[in-house]
Structures are given as C-alpha cells and as structure tokens.
Amino acid sequence: MNTASVPAGSPERGSLTKVVYILGRGRSGSTTLGQVLGAGNGFFYAGEIRYLWDPVLTHNTPCACGEQLSECPVWGKVLAELTHIDLDQIVRYQREVLRESNLVRLMRTRPDQAWPALAAFRDATDDLYSAIAKVTGCRVIVDSSKRPSHALVLRYAPSLAPYYVHLVRDPRASAYSWRNRQYSGGAGDQIRQRSSFDATLRWLLLNVSSELITYRTGRERLRRMRYEDFIAAPRDTIAELADWVGETLDESSFADERTVRVPVSHAIAGNPVRSRTGEVVLRDSGEWQRSQPSRDRLIATTVAAPVLHRYGYPFKP
Ligand SMILES: [Zn+2]
C-alpha cells in the first residue's frame, strides 16, 4: 500500500471499490503478484481476505506488519468498522457458502433467489471490503484468496467491482513447492506437505474450477496469467493489469524493470514472503528444475497432461 499521495476521502463516495481477486492453486506465486500490485499508489494488498473471519487468525495470528490484527493500524480499524457483524454466525455462513461442493449451486444462483446464508455472507463481504477501502483510502484492493466459490460471492456485492486474475504456474514447480516447502496456513496451522500426485490433482481441479467461473463473471472481467510470464517481465505485466482495471502504473513502485519497492505489508494469511519490505528483485530461482526428482516430475506431468498445452507448458520442461 502506498497512500501517500492519495487524496483525502478517496475512494470517492458512491463509487465502486475495485477488487483484483487472484484465482488459482496455492504456491503459484499469488503472494508475490499481490505484493507487487499492492506496491502501487492507490492499491492495497490485503493478503487472503477469506481467512479474516477465522477466529484463530483474528485473535492469535499476526498481520504481516508484525502486530496482532486488533493492534494493526489497518486491520484494527477495519475490525472496528465491523462490530455489527456476529463473527460466530458469519463463520458458519462462510463454511456453508464456500463449500467446494457448492460451486455449481453458486454459479447457478441468481441474486434474487433465496439463500439466507449467501445473502448474509454477501452483505458481510460487502461491508468488509468497503471498510478496507475506507480505512486505507485505496481505490483497488488486491485479494489473493484464490478460492473460486469466494470469488463468485464478490460478484453479488453491490459496492464492489471485481476483476479476476487466474494465475497459473507450471504444475511441476507447484508440485515441487508442495512437497518441499513448509509454512503456516491462514489460521496459523501448519500446512502439510503433499505428494506430487496429490498436489497436481488439486492444481488441476483448482485451475479448471477457476476457469468455470467465467460463465458467471464474463470473460472481460477475467484474465489468465502465467506466473512465468509475470516473473519474466514484472513491470510490463503490472502496467497491463493496472490499465485493465482503469488505473495507471505507479512508476515509483519500481526501481527498474524487475526490482519492486515493497512498502510495509498488512497482508493476512498466505506465504511468509508477505512480510518482506524494501527493494525486492523478482526472479524465478529455478530450483525445482535443478532439484525435482524425475519420478515426481513425471507424475506431475502425467496428472496435468489434459491442460498442459492449454496453459502453454511443454510436456518436457
Ligand atoms: Zn498490519
């Protein structure tokens, strides 16, 4: 977030709050993309917002700035704007609405159809993002929650203008990360490592279901992006994304083509790199290409085979 030169009172009263919602599978570089987008003036990278309603996160897990959420200069104020929401109730509604098995029901549901849990969760969602916009003064909120069902709820929220970025990463790189890297998840619990088969099967399901939501959101509001293309040309990619959502690239957020100036972060949940600040050079380490066992790579390639060509990945990386 860089609100230094945002006029007081932005966003304008009555205008919609833009949300850039990153879809896709975990370990696809969504935290890095969110951070880089959030470095621009008028953009706020919030992390994985869907976890905000998790009582463990809201009470016991620190924000990327190091403070507990209630003490954080951003989330403390956001939570103070939401005291009318019954946390226990909204957690129950979220569980009901965002259940993966509900994705088709969510896609079919019209705003006027009766689904009390969806109506209540939609209202809480609208209030939450509006509170973030009010507290930060930013015009665009970047959310790397990635869940297609959560993304669909945003389209019902009357104060929001969602833009969806479907971020795809080479399934072999994703599988390598799931097998080798450990860190805490949204609610502070340890995310378990996954086998190459399990990780890639989930990669396939999440990417296919991310594509399905275009039937409800419209193609003009969804962009597919490969992590590898983003990391090859970060500044150009961010300039294109900013233009897409009706903003312009904040030139001061980049020191050069691939060095971004990351401000103090208030991202919640997700990859621990969300806490880094200062000048960050964006490049892919290529570690998975050097270190991944050939058996794991073959399994990931086989499971992802139906969509490898669709996403522009060669059978043999
Ligand atoms: Zn914070």
Side-chain angles (χ1 to χ4, degrees):
M1 175 181 61
N2 179 359
T3 59
S5 58
V6 177
S10 292
E12 293 163 25
R13 286 181 80 83
S15 62
L16 297 179
T17 296
K18 297 172 188 172
V19 179
V20 175
Y21 192 98
I22 304 173
L23 283 156
R25 175 64 173 141
R27 318 288 178 100
S28 292
S30 60
T31 303
T32 298
L33 176 61
Q35 257 183 339
V36 180
L37 261 175
N41 190 12
F43 287 70
F44 174 68
Y45 175 45
E48 300 186 20
I49 293 182
R50 71 185 165 98
Y51 284 109
L52 185 75
W53 304 118
D54 189 307
V56 179
L57 179 74
T58 45
H59 296 304
N60 299 320
T61 310
C63 172
C65 71
E67 298 285 352
Q68 295 297 322
L69 291 197
S70 58
E71 304 296 321
C72 163
V74 171
W75 293 107
K77 289 178 187 163
V78 170
L79 292 172
E81 295 275 334
L82 303 172
T83 51
H84 59 287
I85 293 174
D86 180 331
L87 186 62
D88 292 338
Q89 197 177 47
I90 216 66
V91 168
R92 282 199 301 278
Y93 286 150
Q94 175 167 268
R95 285 197 186 121
E96 178 183 331
V97 173
L98 301 191
R99 208 174 288 149
E100 289 304 322
S101 54
N102 269 340
L103 185 61
V104 173
R105 183 181 176 190
L106 264 174
M107 287 176 58
R108 285 182 175 164
T109 301
R110 303 280 171 192
D112 55 345
Q113 282 178 301
W115 187 356
L118 174 60
F121 186 60
R122 173 206 59 201
D123 291 348
T125 298
D126 202 56
D127 290 351
L128 167 59
Y129 287 76
S130 300
I132 296 170
K134 179 182 171 187
V135 168
T136 62
C138 287
R139 300 179 298 277
V140 186
I141 298 168
V142 183
D143 179 355
S144 55
S145 291
K146 293 185 283 295
R147 185 76 72 87
S149 53
H150 188 225
L152 281 170
V153 174
L154 265 57
R155 78 188 175 94
Y156 294 121
S159 309
L160 308 182
Y163 295 79
Y164 301 101
V165 177
H166 175 199
L167 184 65
V168 185
R169 190 175 189 185
D170 190 308
R172 281 78 50 131
S174 175
Y176 179 79
S177 180
W178 277 102
R179 192 160 175 78
N180 294 284
R181 298 199 198 292
Q182 258 189 320
Y183 58 78
S184 297
D189 53 324
Q190 202 72 25
I191 293 180
R192 70 183 173 96
Q193 290 158 291
R194 295 188 182 278
S195 70
S196 191
F197 178 81
D198 189 14
T200 311
L201 191 60
R202 287 165 191 267
W203 176 95
L204 184 65
L205 290 172
L206 258 297
N207 282 308
V208 170
S209 49
S210 295
E211 294 213 33
L212 286 178
I213 77 159
T214 54
Y215 291 107
R216 274 284 164 256
T217 60
R219 292 193 181 279
E220 70 284 359
R221 282 296 179 97
L222 186 137
R223 277 195 158 201
R224 188 194 303 151
M225 179 195 295
R226 299 195 322 168
Y227 173 75
E228 293 79 7
D229 297 332
F230 159 59
I231 216 72
R235 188 164 139 162
D236 288 350
T237 305
I238 297 300
E240 273 179 37
L241 280 182
D243 184 56
W244 177 51
V245 303
E247 303 283 331
T248 51
L249 175 71
D250 177 3
E251 297 284 350
S252 68
S253 64
F254 279 86
D256 59 40
E257 288 300 316
R258 55 175 54 254
T259 305
V260 65
R261 298 188 175 103
V262 180
V264 172
S265 171
H266 295 286
I268 54 170
N271 192 306
V273 300
R274 72 184 191 277
S275 297
R276 65 187 171 183
T277 60
E279 294 201 349
V280 174
V281 180
L282 301 164
R283 59 175 87 251
D284 194 339
S285 71
E287 183 187 326
W288 70 273
Q289 287 166 309
R290 294 189 299 275
S291 308
Q292 186 171 43
S294 54
R295 183 174 176 275
D296 284 354
R297 187 171 300 182
L298 179 63
I299 290 170
T301 302
T302 306
V303 175
V307 293
L308 272 182
H309 179 68
R310 178 173 178 77
Y311 296 148
Y313 294 115
F315 195 75
K316 193 168 177 151

